[in-house]
């Protein structure tokens, strides 16, 4: 079946649709930032920190330059460094393990649960040892990891737990918000995240006053008051323009997350029972915010190609688990070390699920997937 003459494109993500409803409000605020020349940190960043922390049900928020820095600065603030290990999942965006590496510690991977794509608490527990400095679960695709046993294991060993919640702002586990359960939660405002800026940005939310204070200094060269440096930090500050954008978007985030969940339900229904496809397991433990709607499928690469030819955007998050990345070869982990992560990397495909996606577009996606498997 050749590509039809005119292909209605369904993008994986189309941020321009969201912008239409934001343009006036955001640009008016951007003008005020310029009028005030309030570019680095400043009142809007402070307000954003309070608003995001409150949204995450955490007492403090410290903005920084990226989600990667949010993880790195938090691990450093917790004292992680050479000789330490940090337990995490190999099935995540690279930054999770990259930040562990860059603080000087060693990433120790634990395999995932096939249903949630998140770190398997039993495997995490087995990966912990005397050198474990922290545990860093990821709430992948917008669904919280199995926090009960993870928090319990961390508490038993008296080690901190950091939630990589870059994809999961507003997600919940048994009524508790992502970012409010561990010692800290790290956020990314990369444009494609559920709360995305117009550039890079990040934040750490935390219940720990000591962490908050250290992070506030760490992101600004370890400075406690002007030109007094108690330790060597870095420049990882958020700017006022990003805060202006993010504050406008935060007011709409619940509506957007609701629309994502509704789109996910529609796929669940339309794809149910289709041979060759497994829809994501719905969370029984609380709100999933669907940064990605990720199916498992047979002949994944061929399906992706078929959808691409028909104008449908999809993505593979993630094709190579982190233990098999060339940069981590020195960890000595080979194919077969984490079979569930490796299997997920072969089977996953993320479909368009962004809030402004129309029902008609979704029907197109579903029809094209059905067509692919009908022709098997
Ligand atoms: C996006 C992301 C990050 C990194 O965030 P940046 O803002 O791009 O540095 C870290 N972890 C996960 C799981 C992510 O999805």
């Amino acid at each position: 079946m050749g590509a039809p003459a005119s292909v209605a494109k369904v993008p994986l993500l189309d941020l321009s649709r969201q912008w239409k409803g934001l343009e006036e409000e955001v640009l008016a605020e951007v003008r005020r930032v310029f009028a005030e020349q309030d570019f680095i940190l400043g009142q809007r960043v402070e307000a954003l920190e309070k608003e995001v922390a409150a949204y995450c049900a955490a007492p403090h928020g410290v903005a920084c330059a990226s989600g990667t820095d949010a993880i790195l600065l938090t691990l450093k603030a917790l004292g992680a460094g050479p000789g330490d290990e940090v337990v995490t999942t190999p099935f995540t965006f690279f930054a999770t393990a990259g930040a562990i590496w860059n603080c000087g510690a060693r990433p120790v991977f634990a395999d995932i649960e096939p249903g949630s794509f998140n770190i398997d608490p039993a495997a995490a527990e087995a990966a912990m040892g005397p050198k474990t400095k922290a545990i860093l679960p990821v709430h992948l695709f917008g669904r919280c990891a199995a926090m009960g046993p993870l928090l319990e294991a961390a508490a038993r060993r008296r080690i901190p737990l950091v939630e990589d919640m870059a994809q999961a702002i507003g997600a919940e586990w048994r009524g508790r918000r992502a970012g409010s359960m561990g010692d800290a939660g790290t956020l990314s405002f990369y444009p494609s995240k559920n709360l995305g800026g117009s550039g890079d940005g990040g934040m750490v939310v935390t219940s720990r006053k000591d962490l908050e204070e250290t992070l506030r200094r760490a992101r600004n060269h370890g400075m406690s008051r002007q030109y007094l440096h108690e330790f060597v930090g870095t420049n990882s500050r958020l700017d006022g323009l990003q805060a202006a954008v993010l504050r406008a978007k935060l007011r709409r985030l619940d509506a957007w997350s609701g629309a994502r969940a509704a789109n996910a339900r529609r796929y669940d229904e339309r794809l149910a029972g289709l041979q060759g496809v497994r829809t994501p397991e719905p969370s029984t433990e609380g709100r999933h915010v669907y940064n990605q709607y990720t199916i498992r499928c047979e002949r994944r690469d061929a399906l992706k190609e078929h959808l691409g030819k028909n104008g449908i955007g999809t993505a593979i998050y993630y094709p190579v688990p982190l233990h098999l990345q060339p940069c981590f070869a020195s960890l000595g982990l080979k194919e077969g070390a984490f079979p569930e992560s490796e299997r997920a990397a072969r089977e996953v495909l993320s479909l368009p699920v962004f809030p402004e996606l129309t029902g008609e577009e979704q029907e197109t996606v579903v029809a094209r997937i059905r067509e692919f498997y009908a022709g098997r």
Side-chain angles (χ1 to χ4, degrees):
M1 70 201 73
S6 96
V7 173
K9 287 211 185 320
V10 185
L12 178 64
L13 174 64
D14 180 1
L15 287 167
S16 65
R17 299 186 197 179
Q18 181 183 77
W19 177 240
K20 289 198 184 96
L22 286 161
E23 186 168 355
E24 273 185 46
E25 182 181 333
V26 169
L27 290 185
E29 188 63 11
V30 162
R31 280 179 189 284
R32 284 191 280 274
V33 175
F34 277 98
E36 293 165 20
Q37 299 282 303
D38 188 13
F39 293 129
I40 303 289
L41 298 174
Q43 53 154 345
R44 285 175 188 81
V45 171
E46 278 172 39
L48 178 75
E49 289 176 333
K50 290 197 174 75
E51 290 161 6
V52 170
Y55 189 83
C56 298
H60 314 288
V62 182
C64 60
S66 71
T68 304
D69 272 2
I71 304 170
L72 177 62
L73 294 174
T74 301
L75 292 176
K76 282 187 170 181
L78 291 168
D84 295 327
E85 296 178 348
V86 177
V87 173
T88 195
T89 163
F91 192 64
T92 174
F93 178 59
F94 179 78
T96 314
I100 296 171
W101 189 273
N102 278 337
C103 81
R106 179 188 173 89
V108 173
F109 296 115
D111 211 355
I112 57 167
E113 303 172 316
S116 69
F117 297 115
N118 285 323
I119 196 167
D120 178 339
E125 176 105 52
M128 292 183 191
K131 294 183 183 166
T132 308
K133 190 73 176 180
I135 168 161
L136 179 55
V138 178
H139 304 319
L140 200 69
F141 303 145
R143 175 188 174 145
C144 283
M147 292 304 287
L150 292 171
L151 287 166
E152 207 177 284
R156 203 173 334 106
R157 289 169 183 270
R158 296 181 202 285
I159 56 167
L161 184 150
V162 178
E163 305 170 54
D164 180 344
M165 53 178 298
Q167 302 181 7
I169 186 168
E172 290 179 0
W173 181 84
R174 297 194 186 167
R176 298 168 74 185
R177 278 269 155 122
S180 72
M181 296 176 272
D183 292 71
T186 61
L187 282 154
S188 163
F189 301 132
Y190 186 80
S192 66
K193 308 293 163 132
N194 284 17
L195 179 62
S198 300
D200 276 311
M203 193 179 289
V204 183
V205 294
T206 180
S207 55
R208 282 178 51 177
K209 185 76 189 152
D210 63 324
L211 261 189
E212 186 229 356
E213 282 170 5
T214 305
L215 288 165
R216 250 179 229 299
R217 293 173 193 180
R219 71 169 177 194
N220 198 14
H221 298 298
M223 197 158 75
S224 51
R225 58 187 160 82
Q226 203 147 46
Y227 307 127
L228 189 70
H229 303 265
E230 309 210 359
F231 61 92
V232 179
T234 187
N235 171 359
S236 183
R237 300 175 297 232
L238 192 71
D239 57 78
L241 289 170
Q242 291 310 326
V245 173
L246 291 163
R247 292 182 73 202
K249 289 194 174 192
L250 182 60
R251 291 193 275 277
R252 295 157 169 91
L253 185 57
D254 273 324
W256 289 338
S257 296
R260 286 175 181 275
N263 291 343
R265 289 288 82 78
R266 202 170 302 135
Y267 278 134
D268 288 347
E269 286 165 19
R270 302 291 200 279
L271 294 170
L274 175 60
Q275 230 194 31
V277 167
R278 249 198 298 160
T279 55
E281 233 175 56
S283 169
T284 54
E285 296 199 303
R287 188 185 191 206
H288 190 322
V289 293
Y290 290 99
N291 180 244
Q292 300 298 337
Y293 183 88
T294 303
I295 61 171
R296 287 180 185 264
C297 45
E298 287 172 16
R299 296 193 288 135
R300 190 263 319 269
D301 294 342
L303 173 62
K304 183 176 193 334
E305 198 189 319
H306 172 78
L307 295 174
K309 273 189 194 151
N310 285 283
I312 296 167
T314 60
I316 299 167
Y317 302 123
Y318 296 91
V320 181
L322 300 188
H323 66 288
L324 300 178
Q325 294 290 347
C327 62
F328 295 139
S330 65
L331 297 176
L333 297 160
K334 296 280 183 297
E335 184 97 38
F338 303 107
E340 287 301 342
S341 298
E342 292 163 20
R343 189 160 72 87
R346 288 191 300 269
E347 294 181 350
V348 290
L349 190 66
S350 297
L351 307 179
V353 74
F354 62 96
E356 301 81 9
L357 185 71
T358 67
E360 198 182 338
E361 287 174 318
Q362 272 198 287
E363 296 303 344
T364 302
V365 176
V366 169
R368 293 300 182 197
I369 294 173
R370 289 192 165 273
E371 167 186 278
F372 176 80
Y373 288 106
R376 61 166 77 227

